[in-house]
Amino acid sequence: MRKAFLKVLAISAFGVGCGAGSDEADKNTDLQTSKPTITQPCAADDTFTVWCGYKNPEDLAATPDRKYLLATGFGGIPEPTLNEMSLIHLATMNRSSVEIELSQNTWGDPNCERGSLDFSTHGLDINQRNDGTYMVAVTNHLPSETVELFELAASESSWRLVWRGCVESPVTGSGSRQPMFNDVALTDGGGFYVTEMYDINRSFDELIEAGIAGEDTGSVWYWSAGESFQRVDGSQGSFPNGIVINEAEDVLYVNYWFSGKTHKLDIALGKVLATHDGGRADNLTMAWGSVWAAKHDMTVMEYLEDCPAETANCFLPFSVYELDLSDLSETNVWRYDSEIFGFGTVATPLGDSIWFGSAHGDRVARYEIGERVSNGG
């Protein structure tokens, strides 16, 4: 990144210094004014280049043209707050709030209503539907627990979101239980799988005790238009977190944060086909023919003690595992312990880099891994 940045500066200097006459000078001036501004990194070390000005960019996903990253804005749990989604222009690293248009509910549950653009977003997914449109799903905690559905539409200069509906978290057990969602994986038909972290009616103290004990707290749910939520067999676990689905849509990969496990789950059989055991397993990404898992290298109590809510950044170490789709064996492993970026919650490979967001930080980070042959990453 530093080399690319210096190259831009050198090109700019060359354009200013080579003007021979007034016409050429005016031409160069026009070129300078038309160049987009570049947001400089706020920090860098031997591992990361970091850009600041965010609020908990918990999950990241690339737009179809691979020129932007869409980032959620995690508002916290168990008492969420409003936050906004960001759009990051990778060529300049300029951050902007996502333009959102409120439209009719055509993709969600007809009973789910929304009268404002106030969100507390968490996990997200982008997928192309069977009709060719691009769909974005985000888990959302305010004003109620929902999955929000958007069309990702090209604007004059970048991308915008058109709200196309929502789906309320199901209330079960005669009203005694309701899932609090974490992450979502879209299907080509417009349905989705979503992870339930825990019962929204459970006290946070009880949840922490369950985490320390490694108890099951939630599962994966499936929803499609015209049908109610269905619990996915075999998906129960200790704080279900990140989730992705394979191209054939018959296998789920699911992270469980409390236990640190990643499961490969056969949907039809409800059977776990493979397991990877690492750190506290957060988000998952499907890229380059692999599953990428971000896992935190600390205990639950270490996080609570070292990263209280009032701190802007949590710099606890984390690891990233590139896992084989067939058996979740480790293709590559990166371990990070930096004073400028930590608690990475998502690893998004793109080009020659891995991009990181955090559920407890004011920054996104880039780690250069070199060019690789990719299949869409």
Side-chain angles (χ1 to χ4, degrees):
M1 182 62 201
R2 294 192 191 93
K3 291 181 181 178
F5 184 65
L6 290 174
K7 184 177 180 181
V8 171
L9 290 179
I11 292 172
S12 300
F14 181 80
V16 172
C18 289
S22 60
D23 290 342
E24 192 67 27
D26 290 340
K27 188 177 182 181
N28 287 330
T29 299
D30 291 339
L31 286 172
Q32 290 177 44
T33 56
S34 65
K35 288 178 181 177
T37 58
I38 295 176
T39 299
Q40 297 187 26
C42 60
D45 60 16
D46 292 338
T47 303
F48 296 118
T49 306
V50 174
W51 288 264
C52 300
Y54 298 82
K55 184 179 178 183
N56 302 338
E58 199 270 348
D59 205 356
L60 305 172
T63 55
D65 59 5
R66 300 297 194 246
K67 294 181 179 180
Y68 295 83
L69 286 175
L70 180 63
T72 55
F74 180 55
I77 54 173
E79 297 179 2
T81 59
L82 295 178
N83 205 344
E84 65 179 12
M85 289 183 280
S86 300
L87 197 63
I88 307 167
H89 185 208
L90 292 173
T92 62
M93 287 309 297
N94 290 335
R95 183 194 71 83
S96 60
S97 300
V98 180
E99 177 188 348
I100 303 176
E101 174 189 341
L102 192 60
S103 187
Q104 294 183 338
N105 183 347
T106 55
W107 288 353
D109 184 340
N111 297 317
C112 188
E113 300 178 353
R114 171 165 284 278
S116 77
L117 295 177
D118 293 336
F119 298 99
S120 181
T121 59
H122 198 154
L124 85 150
D125 191 24
I126 301 176
N127 189 47
Q128 188 171 25
R129 292 164 54 99
N130 289 328
D131 61 9
T133 57
Y134 287 99
M135 187 175 189
V136 173
V138 297
T139 53
N140 169 67
H141 304 310
L142 286 176
S144 59
E145 191 67 17
T146 58
V147 174
E148 303 286 332
L149 305 174
F150 305 89
E151 179 183 351
L152 181 65
S155 67
E156 184 176 342
S157 58
S158 60
W159 297 87
R160 63 190 180 93
L161 295 179
V162 180
W163 184 83
R164 296 296 187 194
C166 57
V167 185
E168 293 268 0
S169 171
V171 176
T172 62
S174 301
S176 63
R177 183 180 178 89
Q178 183 181 16
M180 179 169 250
F181 293 145
N182 186 298
D183 197 14
V184 59
L186 285 164
T187 66
D188 294 347
F192 58 82
Y193 292 87
V194 61
T195 53
E196 170 201 356
M197 296 181 283
Y198 59 91
D199 175 14
I200 204 169
N201 297 313
R202 190 172 194 173
S203 75
F204 200 65
D205 288 342
E206 288 179 345
L207 177 65
I208 296 303
E209 291 176 0
I212 295 172
E215 297 175 4
D216 290 352
T217 62
S219 57
V220 176
W221 295 79
Y222 173 69
W223 180 90
S224 63
E227 298 182 13
S228 59
F229 269 106
Q230 300 293 324
R231 194 190 305 268
V232 177
D233 291 340
S235 66
Q236 294 82 1
S238 192
F239 205 98
N241 199 301
I243 185 171
V244 290
I245 190 170
N246 69 341
E247 187 175 355
E249 298 187 354
D250 58 359
V251 169
L252 292 173
Y253 299 87
V254 187
N255 272 349
Y256 297 85
W257 195 75
F258 280 154
S259 67
K261 297 182 183 299
T262 301
H263 285 171
K264 176 182 179 180
L265 178 67
D266 184 298
I267 297 173
L269 298 177
K271 179 181 178 182
V272 175
L273 303 177
T275 298
H276 178 267
D277 199 351
R280 304 286 172 187
D282 207 299
N283 282 316
L284 283 170
T285 305
M286 185 85 74
W288 295 344
S290 303
V291 172
W292 297 67
K295 302 196 179 190
H296 304 135
D297 300 328
M298 81 286 177
T299 66
V300 176
M301 292 309 300
E302 283 174 335
Y303 173 72
L304 295 174
E305 293 170 358
D306 295 351
C307 298
E310 61 271 16
T311 58
N313 286 287
C314 176
F315 292 138
L316 286 172
F318 68 102
S319 298
V320 170
Y321 297 85
E322 181 184 2
L323 303 175
D324 186 272
L325 291 177
S326 61
D327 60 2
L328 296 183
S329 59
E330 296 174 3
T331 303
N332 283 297
V333 180
W334 295 267
R335 303 190 190 280
Y336 303 105
D337 191 357
S338 169
E339 294 182 355
I340 64 170
F341 186 84
F343 198 67
T345 49
V346 62
T348 303
L350 195 62
D352 61 352
S353 304
I354 309 175
W355 293 91
F356 299 104
S358 177
H360 195 144
D362 65 358
R363 55 197 63 192
V364 296
R366 180 186 189 224
Y367 172 70
E368 297 184 21
I369 58 174
E371 290 290 348
R372 288 179 48 164
V373 177
S374 69
N375 60 345

